[in-house]
Amino acid sequence: MGPSVSASARYYSRTASRLEEFDVVVVGGGPGGYVSAIKAAQLGMKTACVESRGTLGGTCLNVGCIPSKALLQSTHHYHDLMHHFGDHGIEIAEGAVNFSVDKMQEGKAKTVTGLTGGIEHLFKKYGVTYHKGKGSLAGPNSVAVASNDGSDVAPLQTKNILIATGSEVTPLPPVPVDNAGGKIVDSTGALDISSIPKKMAVVGGGVIGLEMGSVWSRLGSEVHVIEFMDRICPAMDKELTKKFQTTLKKQGFKFKMKTKVTKSEVTGDSVTLTTEKSAGGGEKTEEYDVVLVATGRRPYTDGLNLEALGIQTDKLGRINVDEHFRTAVPNIYAIGDCIDGPMLAHKAEEEGIAAIETMKGFAGHVNYDAIPGVIYTYPEVAAVGKTEEELKEAGVEYVVGTFPFAANSRARANGSSDGFVKILADKTTDRILGAHIMGPNAGEMIAEAVLGIEYGASSEDVARTCHAHPTLSEAFKEACMSAYDKPIHF
């Protein structure tokens, strides 16, 4: 953060203004990029967006957040039918229940196509010029475009450039990915598995691995999670992830913690993984039908020509920016996965809007304490703000309020009462510092906590706010009651 800008003056010339055509050119059409482009156009800026994929929406919409949620929803319906419909009096008296992976994949593809087309419609609606090709920095006021169809595109002249090129899968050398082969896959390949594997290894106990593991576990796969650390999702609240892991075990997940993969070998229709303890020793081998490598992502900045303009990156390849998302060249900005911070689509969107507002002379700002994270398993897991571990490390005195969904009437009526809500509040001021939820619709419920943190609400503020009955959100209210006083129903 905070790069020097003194060297950037050389990039400006007296003739630059005569060459400028756009107010801003956005390089990258993912959630951060396309949202930035639309916002810029809404603010009256002449805007262009360059995206090489051929469709808008980036990793998230095309091969990430959206298609994975489509698969999670389809398999959740199937799992409910097979395991929980009987609880509601729905019985299948005769005949077998068949699950079509092809039909599920068709539904996923239809969702993606509809949404990507919708973004192109929004570009037309707001007058954003869209170039299908790879963009690179030809200068401080120029973006070169290598068109996907090979046609010549003159460099785009612009007052400002916004880099929103996102991220890519981080390779794991002992387990080389071959999505086309279908045996060792990454998050993209996992979306296109064409048959249900009997036994699946997930290398990496993070969000992506646990979500995709859930998809295939629900369909009958035996899922083994191999995690280098001593717990899953290590950046999240420890109590939350401990209970989450226990829940996943009940669903059939098998966990190999503090374990690393040292070798992989594809032989015919199986993959043999060699593992050992993270600290070394205890070598073992085991065969799987499919191996998913989900050990993280890294910034994608290849071919941008950053070095030629003096734009620095850190040791992890993230572009250095100041608090206003400016790089070392002050009219070139960067947002999203290619800069520091959590790799989340909504984080990129907020940064993009803030950067565009800054270009227009407004006070663009992002509150990083109010950026939620969600794991779309079942039950869902969601969090925002500080964890207990972070508060302890910072020496902040706090109080904890919790409330189980087992004591929530709507959750009990729905037959989905696993999980709890946990609120962390400042011991002196009662201001909400963090919220952590595992339970049904946690991804929707977390919005109340985000709003509370954004506006500096206390746990008592939320506890004294009327919540409709019966709703799942009453569990959030009662957790806040627990933080400042006592809950009613537990």
Side-chain angles (χ1 to χ4, degrees):
M1 301 293 285
S4 169
V5 298
S6 60
S8 63
R10 67 181 184 275
Y11 295 124
Y12 293 90
S13 70
R14 294 178 181 177
T15 60
S17 62
R18 294 200 298 270
L19 299 174
E20 289 165 359
E21 179 180 359
F22 292 98
D23 293 309
V24 61
V25 172
V26 180
V27 183
Y34 85 74
V35 167
S36 301
I38 291 172
K39 184 63 177 180
Q42 289 174 337
L43 292 176
M45 302 173 75
K46 189 171 184 181
T47 307
C49 181
V50 183
E51 168 56 52
S52 63
R53 188 183 296 273
T55 54
L56 294 166
T59 294
C60 177
L61 204 159
N62 288 275
V63 292
C65 320
I66 302 304
S68 64
K69 302 312 163 287
L71 299 186
L72 282 161
Q73 185 69 8
S74 295
T75 56
H76 179 62
H77 288 318
Y78 175 76
H79 191 267
D80 259 2
L81 171 62
M82 299 302 292
H83 298 279
H84 300 298
F85 271 28
D87 297 337
H88 300 277
I90 303 171
E91 298 179 355
I92 303 171
E94 297 179 6
V97 175
N98 297 315
F99 188 92
S100 169
V101 173
D102 289 342
K103 192 70 176 177
M104 176 179 73
Q105 295 287 12
E106 286 175 15
K108 176 203 72 177
K110 183 177 180 181
T111 299
V112 171
T113 301
L115 289 172
T116 55
I119 300 171
E120 286 201 38
H121 169 74
L122 290 172
F123 270 19
K124 292 176 182 177
K125 175 180 178 179
Y126 289 108
V128 176
T129 301
Y130 173 30
H131 288 279
K132 295 183 180 181
K134 185 172 177 60
S136 61
L137 307 181
N141 300 100
S142 180
V143 174
V145 180
S147 180
N148 287 355
D149 61 10
S151 60
D152 291 331
V153 178
L156 308 178
Q157 304 303 315
T158 180
K159 296 176 184 175
N160 300 286
I161 298 171
L162 179 63
I163 300 170
T165 48
S167 60
E168 63 181 353
V169 171
T170 302
L172 184 64
V175 196
V177 167
D178 177 16
N179 285 332
K183 305 310 293 181
I184 300 178
V185 298
D186 58 18
S187 55
T188 299
L191 295 169
D192 294 324
I193 294 173
S194 57
S195 61
I196 302 169
K198 291 182 179 179
K199 191 175 180 181
M200 181 181 193
V202 176
V203 185
V207 175
I208 295 171
L210 297 177
E211 288 185 351
M212 294 311 302
S214 289
V215 167
W216 300 106
S217 174
R218 293 168 185 172
L219 298 180
S221 298
E222 180 182 318
V223 176
H224 294 205
V225 178
I226 304 170
E227 170 56 44
F228 185 86
M229 304 291 285
D230 61 352
R231 63 188 181 100
I232 59 174
C233 305
M236 300 187 80
D237 187 85
K238 191 171 184 178
E239 181 185 12
L240 183 75
T241 56
K242 184 178 180 180
K243 293 185 178 180
F244 180 38
Q245 185 174 343
T246 298
T247 300
L248 292 176
K249 285 181 179 178
K250 291 178 181 177
Q251 295 176 6
F253 276 69
K254 299 181 186 300
F255 290 91
K256 299 181 179 182
M257 310 305 292
K258 294 192 285 187
T259 302
K260 62 183 177 183
V261 179
T262 58
K263 183 182 177 182
S264 63
E265 184 178 3
V266 179
T267 306
D269 290 332
S270 66
V271 184
T272 301
L273 291 185
T274 302
T275 62
E276 63 180 40
K277 293 298 182 182
S278 299
E283 183 174 284
K284 296 180 180 179
T285 60
E286 194 158 355
E287 287 191 0
Y288 299 93
D289 298 296
V290 174
V291 173
L292 165 60
V293 179
T295 50
R297 300 181 65 84
R298 64 185 182 184
Y300 178 72
T301 58
D302 288 356
L304 278 178
N305 202 30
L306 299 175
E307 300 83 358
L309 274 68
I311 296 175
Q312 303 92 8
T313 58
D314 65 15
K315 63 181 181 180
L316 297 178
R318 300 173 299 194
I319 298 172
N320 291 333
V321 296
D322 66 14
E323 64 273 18
H324 300 295
F325 309 104
R326 294 188 182 96
T327 66
V329 182
N331 67 306
I332 299 180
Y333 298 70
I335 62 159
D337 287 6
C338 64
I339 70 170
D340 189 16
M343 291 185 173
L344 298 168
H346 44 281
K347 176 256 196 186
E349 293 175 3
E350 296 302 317
E351 289 177 338
I353 290 174
I356 293 297
E357 289 177 337
T358 298
M359 293 177 198
K360 284 290 289 184
F362 303 131
H365 173 69
V366 177
N367 178 4
Y368 288 99
D369 285 330
I371 302 291
V374 182
I375 307 175
Y376 295 90
T377 50
Y378 197 87
E380 292 181 349
V381 176
V384 66
K386 303 299 184 184
T387 66
E388 275 204 73
E389 292 70 40
E390 288 171 332
L391 293 177
K392 288 176 182 176
E393 185 177 353
V396 175
E397 292 189 326
Y398 63 94
V399 294
V400 181
T402 60
F403 190 82
F405 280 103
N408 174 265
S409 55
R410 182 65 186 276
R412 292 288 291 272
N414 290 350
S416 301
S417 57
D418 283 344
F420 66 106
V421 181
K422 176 178 179 178
I423 301 295
L424 304 175
D426 187 280
K427 187 174 182 179
T428 302
T429 67
D430 192 37
R431 182 171 180 168
I432 297 173
L433 302 175
H436 309 274
I437 307 172
M438 183 183 81
N441 286 7
E444 303 295 336
M445 289 180 62
I446 200 65
E448 183 171 9
V450 174
L451 193 64
I453 290 175
E454 183 67 37
Y455 284 92
S458 67
S459 66
E460 185 176 359
D461 288 333
V462 176
R464 292 187 180 277
T465 300
C466 184
H467 288 58
H469 175 77
T471 58
L472 298 171
S473 64
E474 287 178 289
F476 190 88
K477 171 188 172 78
E478 296 237 31
C480 288
M481 293 176 73
S482 175
Y484 95 94
D485 188 16
K486 291 182 178 64
I488 296 296
H489 294 96
F490 186 70

